[in-house]
């Protein structure tokens, strides 16, 4: 593992440096007796404080993303840097994400968004393709919100107002998670949470009766939405607590990576008995000198991949490999 990026360890106000991603779809009904439509959730997470902000996007268009961005900036202030996911980590075979992939790969979308952000003084940074772990901070937030929210909501459509309310309450749950102790005082039982950087103290929910044991057919509309929130809280809390129980890992020396090596490129869409091969033509070492991204030459052109997405075949001569890599670093 590499060192944390600069945006993660630089002290700043909340959401000055922000990661952004989408998840979904969720289903909403704009009005009674209207057809159900797909909607998505834009998730913004502060790189420094880990605070989360959720916005509903009724479709996957550039205009809706810019509207969600405007609402986010209006509530959380303008950020200086944004780190979106590249989007190519999604598997194209998943029909639910086809529209999302088209949006992310649309050059016109990138041009419009980049122009809008440039006018606001916001710098836009992309991760390398097929490297979701480079955005581990917001990927973890996406998992926390998406996995259980989609299970709780399911494919039952709700109104946009109900979904906006539910997302705001889910956002409050995520921002209430403990990060670290406030002090070394044994009598101080208050943990530091992302909400402390937003409102100065931990968030407090309005008291609601426990509805988990009541049949859903006995609940009115508001109680049904609160039941969904309580189900989300129960599921997510258990997962969060399990994640805090870290386990040690046995480390091994890194495999030498250099120019000229033949590799197998991991591709989930390859048909049986087909292997996507590539040759390393350029390495991209990080600030600590460790190579985590490489440029590959394939039959269809060149592409960048993280080293986790390649399988290195045995190299004939380690001396030639080291000399080629050293020449690349010098150049």
């Amino acid at each position: 593992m590499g060192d944390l990026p600069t945006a993660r360890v630089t002290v700043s106000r909340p959401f000055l440096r922000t990661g952004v991603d989408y998840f979904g779809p969720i289903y909403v009904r704009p009005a009674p007796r209207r057809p159900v439509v797909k909607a998505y959730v834009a998730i913004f997470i502060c790189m420094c404080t880990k605070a989360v902000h959720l916005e509903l996007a009724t479709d996957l268009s550039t205009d809706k993303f810019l509207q969600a961005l405007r609402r986010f900036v209006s509530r959380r202030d303008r950020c200086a840097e944004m780190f979106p996911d590249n989007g190519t980590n999604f598997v194209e075979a998943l029909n639910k994400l086809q529209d999302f992939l088209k949006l992310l790969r649309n050059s016109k979308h990138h041009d419009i968004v980049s122009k809008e952000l440039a006018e606001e003084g916001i710098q836009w940074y992309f991760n390398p393709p097929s490297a979701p772990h480079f955005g581990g901070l917001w990927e973890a937030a996406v998992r926390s919100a998406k996995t259980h929210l989609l299970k709780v909501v399911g494919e039952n459509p709700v109104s946009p107002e109900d979904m906006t309310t539910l997302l705001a309450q889910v956002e409050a749950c995520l921002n209430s998670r403990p990060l670290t102790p406030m002090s070394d005082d044994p009598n101080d039982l208050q943990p530091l949470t992302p909400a402390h950087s937003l409102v100065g103290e931990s968030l407090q929910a309005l008291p609601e009766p426990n509805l988990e044991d009541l049949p859903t057919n006995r609940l009115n509309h508001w109680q049904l939405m609160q039941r969904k929130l309580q189900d989300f809280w129960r599921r997510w809390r258990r997962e969060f607590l399990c994640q805090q129980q870290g386990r040690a890992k046995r480390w091994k020396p890194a495999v030498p990576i250099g120019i000229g090596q033949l590799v197998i490129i991991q591709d989930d869409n390859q048909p049986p008995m087909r292997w996507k091969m590539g040759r390393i033509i350029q390495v991209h070492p990080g600030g600590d000198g460790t190579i985590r991204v490489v440029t590959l030459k394939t039959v269809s052109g060149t592409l960048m991949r993280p080293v986790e997405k390649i399988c290195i075949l045995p190299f004939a001569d380690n001396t030639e490999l080291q000399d080629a890599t050293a020449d690349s670093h010098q150049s």
Side-chain angles (χ1 to χ4, degrees):
M1 295 179 63
D3 298 332
L4 290 175
T6 305
R8 292 284 304 277
V9 296
T10 303
V11 178
S12 61
R13 66 165 176 80
F15 294 106
L16 184 65
R17 297 174 179 86
T18 304
V20 58
D21 205 347
Y22 266 65
F23 71 84
I26 54 179
Y27 299 90
V28 299
R29 190 183 299 276
R33 295 183 295 277
R34 294 285 300 275
V36 176
V37 297
K38 287 183 179 180
Y40 296 81
V41 179
I43 181 168
F44 302 86
I45 182 166
C46 175
M47 301 288 284
C48 180
T49 65
K50 297 186 179 180
V52 175
H53 182 94
L54 302 178
E55 286 289 346
L56 180 66
T58 53
D59 61 50
L60 287 173
S61 64
T62 303
D63 291 339
K64 296 301 182 184
F65 171 75
L66 292 177
Q67 289 181 16
L69 180 63
R70 294 291 182 182
R71 294 194 298 269
F72 162 73
V73 171
S74 299
R75 295 189 180 103
R76 304 299 186 186
D77 202 358
R78 184 176 59 185
C79 53
E81 299 174 354
M82 295 201 73
F83 301 84
D85 190 14
N86 194 284
T88 54
N89 56 299
F90 297 110
V91 181
E92 284 194 51
L94 298 178
N95 294 328
K96 291 183 178 181
L97 295 172
Q98 283 294 328
D99 295 335
F100 192 20
L101 286 167
K102 292 178 182 178
L103 175 68
L104 290 170
R105 294 173 177 174
N106 189 346
S107 58
K108 184 178 179 181
H109 167 76
H110 290 303
D111 294 340
I112 294 175
V113 172
S114 299
K115 182 179 178 181
E116 287 281 339
L117 295 180
E119 293 177 355
E120 297 290 341
I122 302 175
Q123 296 184 3
W124 187 257
Y125 298 98
F126 273 105
N127 286 337
S130 294
H133 59 284
F134 275 51
L137 183 65
W138 58 87
E139 293 295 342
V142 166
R143 179 185 176 185
S144 297
K146 176 184 70 174
T147 304
H148 305 299
L149 182 62
L150 296 185
K151 289 180 181 179
V152 170
V153 176
E155 297 186 359
N156 299 322
V158 297
S159 67
E161 292 81 6
D162 291 338
M163 183 57 65
T164 301
T165 303
L166 182 59
L167 290 178
Q169 293 179 301
V170 168
E171 174 188 312
C173 291
L174 298 178
N175 287 333
S176 68
R177 65 192 187 277
L179 299 177
T180 184
M182 289 285 286
S183 67
D184 296 331
D185 185 355
N187 297 321
D188 187 3
L189 302 180
Q190 290 295 325
L192 181 67
T193 69
H196 281 83
S197 62
L198 301 177
V199 299
E201 59 182 0
S202 59
L203 295 175
Q204 302 293 330
L206 295 176
E208 291 285 347
N210 188 356
L211 306 173
E212 294 181 356
D213 297 331
L214 296 179
T216 55
N217 57 3
R218 291 178 52 189
L219 304 178
N220 59 31
H221 182 77
W222 171 250
Q223 290 176 333
L224 188 60
M225 296 306 300
Q226 292 307 297
R227 168 71 178 271
K228 293 181 184 296
L229 174 65
Q230 293 175 5
D231 290 341
F232 170 84
W233 169 254
R234 176 173 47 84
R235 291 170 178 264
W236 174 76
R237 181 182 57 183
R238 291 177 180 175
E239 180 190 82
F240 177 77
L241 293 177
C242 292
Q243 291 176 351
Q244 305 311 303
Q245 299 172 339
R247 292 188 173 96
K249 189 171 184 178
R250 182 179 61 194
W251 298 100
K252 296 181 180 180
V255 178
I257 300 173
I259 295 175
Q261 285 180 303
L262 184 67
V263 301
I264 303 173
I265 305 172
Q266 295 186 21
D267 188 351
D268 296 332
N269 293 326
Q270 287 293 105
M273 302 181 65
R274 292 289 182 90
W275 301 93
K276 191 170 184 178
M277 308 297 296
R279 182 76 66 174
I280 299 177
I281 60 175
Q282 190 176 359
V283 295
H284 307 279
D288 57 356
T290 303
I291 299 171
R292 298 185 180 88
V293 181
V294 295
T295 300
L296 302 169
K297 181 180 179 181
T298 67
V299 293
S300 58
T302 60
L303 49 84
M304 295 179 64
R305 286 293 182 270
V307 296
E308 287 81 3
K309 294 293 184 179
I310 63 176
C311 301
I312 302 175
L313 297 182
F315 199 79
D317 189 349
N318 289 334
T319 303
E320 295 179 2
L321 169 62
Q322 294 175 359
D323 293 341
T325 305
D327 293 340
S328 172
H329 288 170
Q330 293 175 1
S331 59

